[in-house]
Amino acid sequence: MKKKIIIVILILLLIGVGVWMFLSKKTNNQEYVPQEEISDEQLRQTIVSLYFKNKNTGELESEGRLIDAKLLLNEPYKTLMKLLIEGPKNEKFEATIPDGTKINKMELKNDILYIDFSKEFVDNQKDGTEEESATIYSIVNTMTRLTEINGVKILIDGKADQKFKDGKINFSDTFIKLNK
């Protein structure tokens, strides 16, 4: 008799647990409400890729940067160049644009971006072909991420026939992204 009572109690207990689980699932099927609403400001942000020199390897690598998309709508080329001039946020990278460099003018002609820099671009450049190449291709790789740009032409104070101090890299050519 005791066994029958224990079995009946266990069955009732199992039925009770089953009913409780069924009812609790039904009440938990409510719509998911995020803890934080997405603001208009967050909706306007986009990620851009800026190329900087890796301090350890010496190679150019991209750094993703979250910026307001409105900046790219108004002045995309100037915005990207200003970010390159400011330098990286990540400590493993180093800036490639020489200190004091200013942008005189930027203009897209066909698929070539013409960038007119101040003389500091040449005067304050670190010596060596590797450093000079990193400077040029950080600009080229960053700018050619934009689909309308296939190359970059560099001018110094409005002159196209300039070069770095050691004369190894000359600005008379148009620089095109290197495929790596």
Side-chain angles (χ1 to χ4, degrees), residues 44-64:
R44 290 192 319 253
Q45 294 183 335
T46 189
I47 297 175
V48 295
S49 294
L50 305 168
Y51 285 81
F52 297 105
K53 186 176 175 185
N54 183 311
K55 289 179 182 177
N56 297 323
T57 65
E59 298 290 318
L60 287 179
E61 292 181 26
S62 70
E63 175 184 82

PDB file of all heavy atoms in Angstrom, residues 44-64:
ATOM      1  N   ARG A  44      24.412  56.080 -38.447  1.00  0.00           N
ATOM      2  CA  ARG A  44      25.161  56.863 -39.428  1.00  0.00           C
ATOM      3  C   ARG A  44      26.632  56.482 -39.479  1.00  0.00           C
ATOM      4  O   ARG A  44      27.392  57.050 -40.243  1.00  0.00           O
ATOM      5  CB  ARG A  44      25.061  58.360 -39.083  1.00  0.00           C
ATOM      6  CG  ARG A  44      23.712  58.965 -39.296  1.00  0.00           C
ATOM      7  CD  ARG A  44      23.769  60.470 -39.221  1.00  0.00           C
ATOM      8  NE  ARG A  44      24.602  61.004 -38.195  1.00  0.00           N
ATOM      9  CZ  ARG A  44      24.179  61.590 -37.086  1.00  0.00           C
ATOM     10  NH1 ARG A  44      22.902  61.701 -36.842  1.00  0.00           N
ATOM     11  NH2 ARG A  44      25.028  62.079 -36.216  1.00  0.00           N
ATOM     12  N   GLN A  45      27.073  55.555 -38.661  1.00  0.00           N
ATOM     13  CA  GLN A  45      28.491  55.227 -38.609  1.00  0.00           C
ATOM     14  C   GLN A  45      28.864  54.153 -39.627  1.00  0.00           C
ATOM     15  O   GLN A  45      28.070  53.293 -39.959  1.00  0.00           O
ATOM     16  CB  GLN A  45      28.870  54.787 -37.202  1.00  0.00           C
ATOM     17  CG  GLN A  45      28.743  55.926 -36.208  1.00  0.00           C
ATOM     18  CD  GLN A  45      29.182  55.522 -34.828  1.00  0.00           C
ATOM     19  OE1 GLN A  45      29.148  54.360 -34.460  1.00  0.00           O
ATOM     20  NE2 GLN A  45      29.598  56.495 -34.039  1.00  0.00           N
ATOM     21  N   THR A  46      30.099  54.263 -40.108  1.00  0.00           N
ATOM     22  CA  THR A  46      30.628  53.280 -41.053  1.00  0.00           C
ATOM     23  C   THR A  46      32.096  53.022 -40.720  1.00  0.00           C
ATOM     24  O   THR A  46      32.723  53.822 -40.031  1.00  0.00           O
ATOM     25  CB  THR A  46      30.474  53.776 -42.510  1.00  0.00           C
ATOM     26  OG1 THR A  46      30.800  52.706 -43.381  1.00  0.00           O
ATOM     27  CG2 THR A  46      31.350  54.971 -42.808  1.00  0.00           C
ATOM     28  N   ILE A  47      32.611  51.925 -41.217  1.00  0.00           N
ATOM     29  CA  ILE A  47      34.017  51.580 -40.968  1.00  0.00           C
ATOM     30  C   ILE A  47      34.823  51.864 -42.225  1.00  0.00           C
ATOM     31  O   ILE A  47      34.434  51.465 -43.318  1.00  0.00           O
ATOM     32  CB  ILE A  47      34.158  50.102 -40.568  1.00  0.00           C
ATOM     33  CG1 ILE A  47      33.433  49.850 -39.253  1.00  0.00           C
ATOM     34  CG2 ILE A  47      35.635  49.716 -40.455  1.00  0.00           C
ATOM     35  CD1 ILE A  47      33.408  48.404 -38.826  1.00  0.00           C
ATOM     36  N   VAL A  48      35.943  52.564 -42.057  1.00  0.00           N
ATOM     37  CA  VAL A  48      36.869  52.796 -43.158  1.00  0.00           C
ATOM     38  C   VAL A  48      38.180  52.090 -42.844  1.00  0.00           C
ATOM     39  O   VAL A  48      38.507  51.852 -41.693  1.00  0.00           O
ATOM     40  CB  VAL A  48      37.121  54.312 -43.408  1.00  0.00           C
ATOM     41  CG1 VAL A  48      35.851  54.996 -43.868  1.00  0.00           C
ATOM     42  CG2 VAL A  48      37.684  54.992 -42.178  1.00  0.00           C
ATOM     43  N   SER A  49      38.926  51.753 -43.895  1.00  0.00           N
ATOM     44  CA  SER A  49      40.235  51.103 -43.733  1.00  0.00           C
ATOM     45  C   SER A  49      41.324  52.119 -44.044  1.00  0.00           C
ATOM     46  O   SER A  49      41.356  52.687 -45.135  1.00  0.00           O
ATOM     47  CB  SER A  49      40.371  49.916 -44.676  1.00  0.00           C
ATOM     48  OG  SER A  49      39.469  48.910 -44.320  1.00  0.00           O
ATOM     49  N   LEU A  50      42.192  52.322 -43.072  1.00  0.00           N
ATOM     50  CA  LEU A  50      43.339  53.219 -43.233  1.00  0.00           C
ATOM     51  C   LEU A  50      44.596  52.365 -43.141  1.00  0.00           C
ATOM     52  O   LEU A  50      44.690  51.475 -42.299  1.00  0.00           O
ATOM     53  CB  LEU A  50      43.347  54.269 -42.120  1.00  0.00           C
ATOM     54  CG  LEU A  50      42.068  55.095 -41.976  1.00  0.00           C
ATOM     55  CD1 LEU A  50      42.096  55.886 -40.678  1.00  0.00           C
ATOM     56  CD2 LEU A  50      41.897  56.009 -43.160  1.00  0.00           C
ATOM     57  N   TYR A  51      45.571  52.657 -43.990  1.00  0.00           N
ATOM     58  CA  TYR A  51      46.794  51.834 -44.019  1.00  0.00           C
ATOM     59  C   TYR A  51      47.936  52.538 -43.310  1.00  0.00           C
ATOM     60  O   TYR A  51      48.261  53.689 -43.611  1.00  0.00           O
ATOM     61  CB  TYR A  51      47.172  51.492 -45.462  1.00  0.00           C
ATOM     62  CG  TYR A  51      46.264  50.438 -46.027  1.00  0.00           C
ATOM     63  CD1 TYR A  51      45.014  50.778 -46.525  1.00  0.00           C
ATOM     64  CD2 TYR A  51      46.619  49.099 -46.007  1.00  0.00           C
ATOM     65  CE1 TYR A  51      44.152  49.809 -47.019  1.00  0.00           C
ATOM     66  CE2 TYR A  51      45.774  48.127 -46.496  1.00  0.00           C
ATOM     67  CZ  TYR A  51      44.537  48.484 -47.000  1.00  0.00           C
ATOM     68  OH  TYR A  51      43.688  47.524 -47.473  1.00  0.00           O
ATOM     69  N   PHE A  52      48.521  51.810 -42.350  1.00  0.00           N
ATOM     70  CA  PHE A  52      49.656  52.304 -41.580  1.00  0.00           C
ATOM     71  C   PHE A  52      50.748  51.240 -41.566  1.00  0.00           C
ATOM     72  O   PHE A  52      50.498  50.070 -41.858  1.00  0.00           O
ATOM     73  CB  PHE A  52      49.239  52.631 -40.141  1.00  0.00           C
ATOM     74  CG  PHE A  52      48.220  53.717 -40.040  1.00  0.00           C
ATOM     75  CD1 PHE A  52      46.896  53.437 -39.753  1.00  0.00           C
ATOM     76  CD2 PHE A  52      48.580  55.047 -40.236  1.00  0.00           C
ATOM     77  CE1 PHE A  52      45.955  54.448 -39.660  1.00  0.00           C
ATOM     78  CE2 PHE A  52      47.650  56.061 -40.148  1.00  0.00           C
ATOM     79  CZ  PHE A  52      46.333  55.760 -39.865  1.00  0.00           C
ATOM     80  N   LYS A  53      51.932  51.656 -41.168  1.00  0.00           N
ATOM     81  CA  LYS A  53      53.083  50.749 -41.110  1.00  0.00           C
ATOM     82  C   LYS A  53      53.079  50.018 -39.772  1.00  0.00           C
ATOM     83  O   LYS A  53      52.987  50.640 -38.715  1.00  0.00           O
ATOM     84  CB  LYS A  53      54.369  51.556 -41.284  1.00  0.00           C
ATOM     85  CG  LYS A  53      55.608  50.710 -41.378  1.00  0.00           C
ATOM     86  CD  LYS A  53      56.810  51.588 -41.647  1.00  0.00           C
ATOM     87  CE  LYS A  53      58.089  50.790 -41.630  1.00  0.00           C
ATOM     88  NZ  LYS A  53      59.252  51.650 -41.761  1.00  0.00           N
ATOM     89  N   ASN A  54      53.203  48.689 -39.833  1.00  0.00           N
ATOM     90  CA  ASN A  54      53.306  47.874 -38.633  1.00  0.00           C
ATOM     91  C   ASN A  54      54.709  48.077 -38.063  1.00  0.00           C
ATOM     92  O   ASN A  54      55.703  47.904 -38.778  1.00  0.00           O
ATOM     93  CB  ASN A  54      53.049  46.404 -38.969  1.00  0.00           C
ATOM     94  CG  ASN A  54      53.074  45.509 -37.760  1.00  0.00           C
ATOM     95  OD1 ASN A  54      53.983  45.552 -36.942  1.00  0.00           O
ATOM     96  ND2 ASN A  54      52.051  44.667 -37.661  1.00  0.00           N
ATOM     97  N   LYS A  55      54.809  48.440 -36.788  1.00  0.00           N
ATOM     98  CA  LYS A  55      56.108  48.722 -36.158  1.00  0.00           C
ATOM     99  C   LYS A  55      57.019  47.495 -36.137  1.00  0.00           C
ATOM    100  O   LYS A  55      58.228  47.626 -36.230  1.00  0.00           O
ATOM    101  CB  LYS A  55      55.901  49.204 -34.718  1.00  0.00           C
ATOM    102  CG  LYS A  55      55.307  50.576 -34.609  1.00  0.00           C
ATOM    103  CD  LYS A  55      55.122  50.952 -33.143  1.00  0.00           C
ATOM    104  CE  LYS A  55      54.476  52.306 -32.998  1.00  0.00           C
ATOM    105  NZ  LYS A  55      54.240  52.638 -31.584  1.00  0.00           N
ATOM    106  N   ASN A  56      56.436  46.308 -36.013  1.00  0.00           N
ATOM    107  CA  ASN A  56      57.238  45.089 -35.907  1.00  0.00           C
ATOM    108  C   ASN A  56      57.679  44.534 -37.254  1.00  0.00           C
ATOM    109  O   ASN A  56      58.823  44.132 -37.414  1.00  0.00           O
ATOM    110  CB  ASN A  56      56.462  44.006 -35.136  1.00  0.00           C
ATOM    111  CG  ASN A  56      56.181  44.423 -33.709  1.00  0.00           C
ATOM    112  OD1 ASN A  56      57.012  45.057 -33.071  1.00  0.00           O
ATOM    113  ND2 ASN A  56      55.009  44.085 -33.227  1.00  0.00           N
ATOM    114  N   THR A  57      56.770  44.513 -38.212  1.00  0.00           N
ATOM    115  CA  THR A  57      57.080  43.872 -39.496  1.00  0.00           C
ATOM    116  C   THR A  57      57.526  44.858 -40.571  1.00  0.00           C
ATOM    117  O   THR A  57      58.136  44.458 -41.553  1.00  0.00           O
ATOM    118  CB  THR A  57      55.851  43.113 -40.035  1.00  0.00           C
ATOM    119  OG1 THR A  57      54.816  44.052 -40.332  1.00  0.00           O
ATOM    120  CG2 THR A  57      55.350  42.080 -39.043  1.00  0.00           C
ATOM    121  N   GLY A  58      57.176  46.127 -40.419  1.00  0.00           N
ATOM    122  CA  GLY A  58      57.489  47.123 -41.440  1.00  0.00           C
ATOM    123  C   GLY A  58      56.515  47.102 -42.603  1.00  0.00           C
ATOM    124  O   GLY A  58      56.618  47.899 -43.524  1.00  0.00           O
ATOM    125  N   GLU A  59      55.559  46.177 -42.580  1.00  0.00           N
ATOM    126  CA  GLU A  59      54.564  46.047 -43.650  1.00  0.00           C
ATOM    127  C   GLU A  59      53.397  47.003 -43.428  1.00  0.00           C
ATOM    128  O   GLU A  59      53.091  47.362 -42.293  1.00  0.00           O
ATOM    129  CB  GLU A  59      54.019  44.613 -43.691  1.00  0.00           C
ATOM    130  CG  GLU A  59      55.051  43.563 -43.999  1.00  0.00           C
ATOM    131  CD  GLU A  59      55.547  43.619 -45.427  1.00  0.00           C
ATOM    132  OE1 GLU A  59      54.718  43.817 -46.334  1.00  0.00           O
ATOM    133  OE2 GLU A  59      56.761  43.466 -45.632  1.00  0.00           O
ATOM    134  N   LEU A  60      52.746  47.376 -44.510  1.00  0.00           N
ATOM    135  CA  LEU A  60      51.524  48.162 -44.399  1.00  0.00           C
ATOM    136  C   LEU A  60      50.371  47.237 -44.052  1.00  0.00           C
ATOM    137  O   LEU A  60      50.241  46.163 -44.639  1.00  0.00           O
ATOM    138  CB  LEU A  60      51.205  48.882 -45.711  1.00  0.00           C
ATOM    139  CG  LEU A  60      52.084  50.072 -46.065  1.00  0.00           C
ATOM    140  CD1 LEU A  60      51.656  50.655 -47.405  1.00  0.00           C
ATOM    141  CD2 LEU A  60      52.043  51.143 -44.989  1.00  0.00           C
ATOM    142  N   GLU A  61      49.565  47.666 -43.095  1.00  0.00           N
ATOM    143  CA  GLU A  61      48.390  46.901 -42.698  1.00  0.00           C
ATOM    144  C   GLU A  61      47.241  47.875 -42.498  1.00  0.00           C
ATOM    145  O   GLU A  61      47.452  49.045 -42.185  1.00  0.00           O
ATOM    146  CB  GLU A  61      48.649  46.140 -41.393  1.00  0.00           C
ATOM    147  CG  GLU A  61      49.664  45.034 -41.521  1.00  0.00           C
ATOM    148  CD  GLU A  61      49.878  44.290 -40.211  1.00  0.00           C
ATOM    149  OE1 GLU A  61      48.950  44.268 -39.367  1.00  0.00           O
ATOM    150  OE2 GLU A  61      50.965  43.741 -40.031  1.00  0.00           O
ATOM    151  N   SER A  62      46.034  47.361 -42.660  1.00  0.00           N
ATOM    152  CA  SER A  62      44.876  48.242 -42.509  1.00  0.00           C
ATOM    153  C   SER A  62      44.418  48.295 -41.057  1.00  0.00           C
ATOM    154  O   SER A  62      44.521  47.317 -40.323  1.00  0.00           O
ATOM    155  CB  SER A  62      43.729  47.802 -43.414  1.00  0.00           C
ATOM    156  OG  SER A  62      43.185  46.597 -42.966  1.00  0.00           O
ATOM    157  N   GLU A  63      43.942  49.475 -40.692  1.00  0.00           N
ATOM    158  CA  GLU A  63      43.334  49.694 -39.384  1.00  0.00           C
ATOM    159  C   GLU A  63      41.905  50.148 -39.653  1.00  0.00           C
ATOM    160  O   GLU A  63      41.691  51.126 -40.367  1.00  0.00           O
ATOM    161  CB  GLU A  63      44.095  50.774 -38.611  1.00  0.00           C
ATOM    162  CG  GLU A  63      43.436  51.130 -37.287  1.00  0.00           C
ATOM    163  CD  GLU A  63      44.133  52.269 -36.583  1.00  0.00           C
ATOM    164  OE1 GLU A  63      43.861  53.431 -36.931  1.00  0.00           O
ATOM    165  OE2 GLU A  63      44.948  51.991 -35.685  1.00  0.00           O
ATOM    166  N   GLY A  64      40.937  49.425 -39.134  1.00  0.00           N
ATOM    167  CA  GLY A  64      39.542  49.824 -39.289  1.00  0.00           C
ATOM    168  C   GLY A  64      39.227  50.961 -38.349  1.00  0.00           C
ATOM    169  O   GLY A  64      39.652  50.963 -37.190  1.00  0.00           O
TER     170      GLY A  64
END
